[in-house]
């Protein structure tokens, strides 16, 4: 059994080579700006099964990474509130936020790496899944 972008687009009935290249670019953009993927899914944009699979994957990946990043941003505030609130010294609070800022930068870099890698693979027409 054959799989891949060509087989999926053939099953869906689209055969125009220009359309495939356009879908590759649009799928890559969906990873870079995941709200575009949600918009395309909501408006039920026409496209191959390959394209729709990438839209769904980009929307889920972007939503999960955004939620995880906001949760990571909230960690220092929650730690300060639960560890002592006003009784906590300002030096400890500043150090806690400094460590959290480094963690935020690392998380942002890692998520950017994952998103750009997925966008590059989609732009080449690959069909892949991101283990979540």
């Amino acid at each position: 059994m054959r799989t891949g972008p060509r087989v999926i687009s053939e099953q869906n009935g689209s055969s125009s080579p220009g359309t495939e290249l356009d879908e590759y670019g649009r799928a890559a953009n969906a990873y870079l700006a995941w709200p575009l993927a949600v918009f395309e899914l909501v408006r039920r944009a026409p496209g191959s099964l390959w394209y729709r699979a990438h839209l769904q994957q980009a929307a889920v990946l972007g939503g999960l990474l955004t939620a995880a990043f906001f949760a990571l941003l909230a960690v220092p505030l929650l730690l300060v509130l639960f560890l002592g609130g006003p009784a906590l010294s300002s030096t400890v609070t500043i150090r806690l936020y400094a460590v959290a800022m480094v963690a935020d930068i690392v998380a942002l870099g890692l998520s950017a790496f994952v998103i750009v890698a997925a966008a590059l693979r989609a732009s080449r027409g690959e069909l892949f899944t991101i283990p979540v």
Side-chain angles (χ1 to χ4, degrees):
M1 180 173 161
R2 297 180 337 164
T3 60
R6 177 173 293 141
V7 173
I8 290 176
S9 64
E10 287 172 2
Q11 291 172 354
N12 197 32
S14 80
S15 59
S16 169
T19 304
E20 283 182 6
L21 292 177
D22 182 47
E23 282 186 351
Y24 294 171
R26 288 173 37 210
N29 287 337
Y31 284 102
L32 297 174
W34 68 270
L36 293 175
V38 173
F39 175 72
E40 289 285 305
L41 287 169
V42 168
R43 77 176 187 109
R44 297 181 185 256
S48 67
L49 295 174
W50 177 90
Y51 176 63
R52 299 202 50 81
H54 276 290
L55 285 181
Q56 292 169 353
Q57 187 166 271
V60 169
L61 178 65
L64 288 175
L65 287 176
T66 301
F69 190 70
F70 278 116
L72 187 61
L73 287 173
V75 167
L77 174 64
L78 296 175
L79 286 175
V80 167
L81 291 176
F82 290 121
L83 289 180
L88 202 61
S89 74
S90 60
T91 305
V92 171
T93 303
I94 290 171
R95 287 183 181 161
L96 182 66
Y97 272 91
V99 169
M101 194 179 310
V102 171
D104 293 338
I105 292 169
V106 168
L108 186 63
L110 288 175
S111 63
F113 176 78
V114 168
I115 288 170
V116 169
L120 287 173
R121 289 181 71 182
S123 71
R124 290 190 300 261
E126 294 181 32
L127 181 62
F128 59 92
T129 57
I130 297 173
V132 178

